[in-house]
Amino acid sequence: MKSFLFFICLALIARSAMAQQTPAGSQPVATFQSTTTRLNTMPFFTSSAATTTVSRIDWTSDMEADQTVSSPTFIAKACITTPKSVARYSLLLNDKIQQLPRDLKVERDKDCQQSFNQTVQLQEGENRLRLTAYLTGGGEVASNLTVVYKKPPVLALEKRLALIIGNSSYQGSNKLPNPVNDANDMATALKKLGFDVMVYTDLNNKGMRQAINTFGEKLRDYQVGLFYYAGHGVQNEGNNYLVPIDAQPESKNEIEYECLDANRILTKMEDAHTRTNIVVLDACRNNPLDRSWSRGGDNNGLASMDAPIGSVIAYATAPGKTAADGNGRNGLYTSALLKALQTPNQTIIQLFQQVRAEVLKQSNNRQIPWESTSLTGDFYFQRK
């Protein structure tokens, strides 16, 4: 049995050797079977993935955290990030297209690829802005912004006191038609502008002195003082005098006793330590004394006075010149002043410039209003 198994094994071995014989001239080939291997198709040096720029608009305007502002003038600022350059912009404010300047320049800096800014005027309340950037070669990016304009709370107005005197009923041919009307109309206008008003008409010497003294005492409790005078005025020895209706000086030396020195008003204002003082003199209309010597003593018209700090002195006409009384209800100068007082948001200097332009126009350049000022800040009769 064992011999039989041995012969079978030899037969199998011989058969296997014959099957593996190699043809003549050929090299033996070794074969083997390997385990399954997954090929690595990635490149040997891995390249970094390309960076993709996302288009966006970031608003950078100055405003509170709740997007409110206290000024109607608003600068719409934005930083634009895009893969391509911007060809043009479009800005809408409350659905209305805003005109952009022709030379609009978009600046670049290290913090912003392209920065945009444009000044717009907001309306009170909510305002909607929409900025669209159109890209070169097509495409666009847009962003909306809501801004709320809230007017700042109205500050309590400084206390204002005005003394107004209008003298018309002079004796004889010296009577004037307009000053009483001028005084009453100025009183009405100034009351509307927040002034407490003391108004007097046709005062004699005693009455004028009492009015000025009372004004000086009351003015201590106010921050703004205003004195308005319409009537006759003269100058003598370089000083200006306001003429009461009962003044009858017989010579130049009596002017200081019969009339009131205008510097008396400035002294009262300085003693009251008011922040702003305004003196308006619509005087020197014609010769009030009817004498052989001129109404000014030395010269026609009023002399220029130095305004104390924080004061403005306004004259109906230039120093040494005479003013027209006017043909209507008011004198030429006061008529222009009343008109200018109706214009809000202008400084007192701008107001008197407006008055000067109007008087020059109406007088064909014959009457030139004048001011002397030492104001240290802006004053507004009315602001809206």
Side-chain angles (χ1 to χ4, degrees):
M1 185 66 180
K2 292 181 179 180
S3 299
F4 177 76
L5 293 174
F6 178 73
F7 282 111
I8 289 183
C9 289
L10 288 176
L12 292 173
I13 292 171
R15 186 173 180 175
S16 175
M18 291 178 63
Q20 294 182 17
Q21 286 183 353
T22 305
S26 300
Q27 297 293 327
V29 178
T31 62
F32 63 91
Q33 183 177 3
S34 64
T35 59
T36 303
T37 303
R38 179 174 296 178
L39 292 177
N40 182 5
T41 59
M42 298 296 291
F44 184 80
F45 295 101
T46 304
S47 60
S48 58
T51 302
T52 302
T53 301
V54 178
S55 297
R56 70 177 189 273
I57 295 178
D58 298 309
W59 293 95
T60 58
S61 298
D62 297 326
M63 52 189 162
E64 299 296 333
D66 58 356
Q67 298 185 184
T68 62
V69 294
S70 58
S71 172
T73 301
F74 180 75
I75 302 178
K77 296 180 180 179
C79 179
I80 300 92
T81 303
T82 57
K84 296 182 289 185
S85 61
V86 177
R88 62 185 180 90
Y89 293 91
S90 172
L91 180 64
L92 296 177
L93 172 60
N94 298 323
D95 301 322
K96 294 182 180 179
I97 189 70
Q98 300 298 294
Q99 186 67 37
L100 301 180
R102 291 185 177 182
D103 58 347
L104 177 67
K105 296 180 179 179
V106 179
E107 301 178 352
R108 296 174 181 266
D109 56 41
K110 63 179 181 179
D111 299 320
C112 179
Q113 183 187 38
Q114 299 170 106
S115 60
F116 171 89
N117 73 78
Q118 170 71 14
T119 301
V120 297
Q121 294 297 316
L122 304 178
Q123 64 183 16
E124 189 172 3
E126 185 177 282
N127 295 265
R128 304 178 308 279
L129 291 98
R130 179 175 177 81
L131 175 63
T132 304
Y134 298 93
L135 308 184
T136 302
E140 64 185 62
V141 58
S143 180
N144 298 324
L145 176 67
T146 299
V147 181
V148 179
Y149 164 46
K150 293 182 179 180
K151 287 185 178 180
V154 178
L155 300 177
L157 289 175
E158 65 271 277
K159 293 182 65 178
R160 302 173 169 187
L161 179 64
L163 171 60
I164 299 175
I165 298 176
N167 287 341
S168 288
S169 299
Y170 293 97
Q171 297 181 5
S173 60
N174 293 321
K175 187 173 182 178
L176 297 172
N178 299 122
V180 169
N181 294 335
D182 293 339
N184 290 327
D185 291 349
M186 280 294 298
T188 300
L190 292 177
K191 286 177 182 178
K192 294 179 179 179
L193 297 175
F195 282 84
D196 293 333
V197 176
M198 303 166 57
V199 57
Y200 303 92
T201 59
D202 290 332
L203 292 181
N204 58 22
N205 190 301
K206 182 179 179 180
M208 288 187 69
R209 292 182 186 276
Q210 289 178 341
I212 292 172
N213 290 340
T214 302
F215 173 68
E217 293 172 1
K218 294 184 65 174
L219 194 57
R220 298 178 186 275
D221 297 325
Y222 291 79
Q223 291 77 50
V224 178
L226 185 148
F227 175 72
Y228 169 88
Y229 173 77
H232 282 305
V234 296
Q235 68 157 296
N236 188 40
E237 302 294 339
N239 294 321
N240 293 323
Y241 294 89
L242 310 180
V243 182
I245 62 170
D246 62 346
Q248 291 183 318
E250 296 295 329
S251 68
K252 291 186 291 185
N253 295 331
E254 294 182 2
I255 291 179
E256 63 178 304
Y257 305 108
E258 294 286 325
C259 305
L260 278 80
D261 191 335
N263 283 309
R264 186 183 185 91
I265 295 294
L266 297 179
T267 300
K268 294 295 183 181
M269 289 177 162
E270 284 187 290
D271 291 344
H273 302 291
T274 42
R275 189 184 71 241
T276 303
N277 297 306
I278 305 162
V279 176
V280 180
L281 301 176
D282 190 356
C284 55
R285 305 183 184 214
N286 61 15
N287 189 338
L289 304 176
D290 197 22
R291 295 290 188 270
S292 58
W293 41 276
S294 68
R295 71 162 133 156
D298 297 327
N299 299 286
N300 286 331
L302 297 182
S304 178
M305 297 187 296
D306 293 331
I309 294 176
S311 302
V312 57
I313 304 173
Y315 307 88
T317 190
K321 303 294 182 181
T322 57
D325 194 49
N327 297 319
R329 173 179 173 82
N330 302 112
L332 178 59
Y333 179 80
T334 296
S335 178
L337 179 58
L338 289 168
K339 180 180 178 181
L341 286 172
Q342 299 176 21
T343 304
N345 302 324
Q346 60 178 344
T347 67
I348 191 170
I349 300 302
Q350 293 171 326
L351 178 139
F352 283 125
Q353 288 173 339
Q354 180 180 338
V355 171
R356 180 160 39 253
E358 181 68 15
V359 172
L360 282 168
K361 177 182 177 181
Q362 296 298 327
S363 67
N364 293 320
N365 296 331
R366 290 192 297 270
Q367 182 174 329
I368 307 174
W370 201 265
E371 297 88 42
S372 173
T373 179
S374 63
L375 292 174
T376 56
D378 290 333
F379 174 80
Y380 297 83
F381 278 97
Q382 63 169 317
R383 303 199 70 171
K384 291 185 178 180

